[in-house]
Amino acid sequence: RPLEEAQGLIAESKRKMGFRSSPEPLPADDDSSFFVDNFSFLLLRQFEMKAICMALYTFVVVLKFKQIDSVNAVYGIASCVLAATGGGILVPLFINGLPVPLANDCYLIIMASNYMLLKYVPALGSVYQESHTLQFFGILGFETMRASVVTGLTLASSAAIPASYFSFPLLGPIICGTLGGCGGGFMPLSKG
């Protein structure tokens, strides 16, 4: 009897606060599937799209690396890998996982390829910086990849971190998602 009363009180308070018991169906003329139908490639479910966005992401990271001419290739590639996957290194270490450069061989291969391209064909970087169209696609791939990484690391941390006071982990996944998105800004640690 007390359980039924509590459920009745909860239902009545939800009704008073404006909560609906079930969601209303969408109107027939509402086309909310426009994004899913036309832009599903941004979810990076296909390997090809993920590889393209990864290539654009690492290209932009290498382009931002200012010491490309003054350091040897091994140090430059290692610095760029740390800058590109800093969040993917820090967060898995926090949640006892495998860092991204070790878990995904594509990052290392694509990063080394982009580094060598920009080191030995510097005109490629100049063309990219002069072309607004290339910059648009570079930034689109960069931010799509970064959003995918932040989402993945936030989901992984919410699965690995147990709930404490709430029924779900709250601050741990937020902190891990934040570090996943901007962790590369702190790497390598010799930046100063």
Side-chain angles (χ1 to χ4, degrees), residues 57 86-88 91 142 146-147 149-150 153-154 175-185:
Y57 178 82
V91 174
F142 180 86
R146 196 165 84 167
V149 167
V150 168
L153 291 175
T154 304
I175 292 169
C176 287
T178 302
L179 282 175
C182 66

Side-chain angles (χ1 to χ4, degrees), residues 15 22-23 25 34 46 51 57-58 67 70 101-104 109 112 122 124 136-137 146 168-169 172 182 188 192:
R15 186 185 53 79
S22 63
F34 176 78
Q46 301 90 0
Y57 178 82
T58 57
Q67 305 167 340
S70 63
L102 298 177
N104 191 346
I109 294 168
L124 194 59
F136 170 78
F137 286 110
R146 196 165 84 167
F168 54 90
C182 66

Side-chain angles (χ1 to χ4, degrees), residues 38-83:
N38 296 311
F39 298 101
S40 64
F41 67 90
L42 292 175
L43 299 176
L44 301 183
R45 291 188 179 135
Q46 301 90 0
F47 172 76
E48 295 83 5
M49 287 309 300
K50 192 169 194 169
I52 289 169
C53 287
M54 196 181 306
L56 291 170
Y57 178 82
T58 57
F59 183 84
V60 171
V61 168
V62 172
L63 201 59
K64 291 179 182 179
F65 185 62
K66 302 294 183 203
Q67 305 167 340
I68 196 164
D69 294 327
S70 63
V71 298
N72 66 12
V74 174
Y75 178 80
I77 292 171
S79 295
C80 287
V81 166
L82 287 174

Side-chain angles (χ1 to χ4, degrees), residues 83-141:
T85 61
I89 293 171
L90 291 173
V91 174
L93 291 178
F94 292 155
I95 61 172
N96 199 20
L98 193 59
V100 170
L102 298 177
N104 191 346
D105 294 332
C106 289
Y107 265 114
L108 297 175
I109 294 168
I110 292 173
M111 179 65 71
S113 302
N114 279 333
Y115 184 86
M116 292 302 185
L117 266 175
L118 287 171
K119 183 171 178 78
Y120 296 111
V121 188
L124 194 59
S126 302
V127 169
Y128 174 81
Q129 290 174 339
E130 294 294 324
S131 171
H132 294 296
T133 306
L134 291 177
Q135 286 180 4
F136 170 78
F137 286 110
I139 291 170
L140 180 70

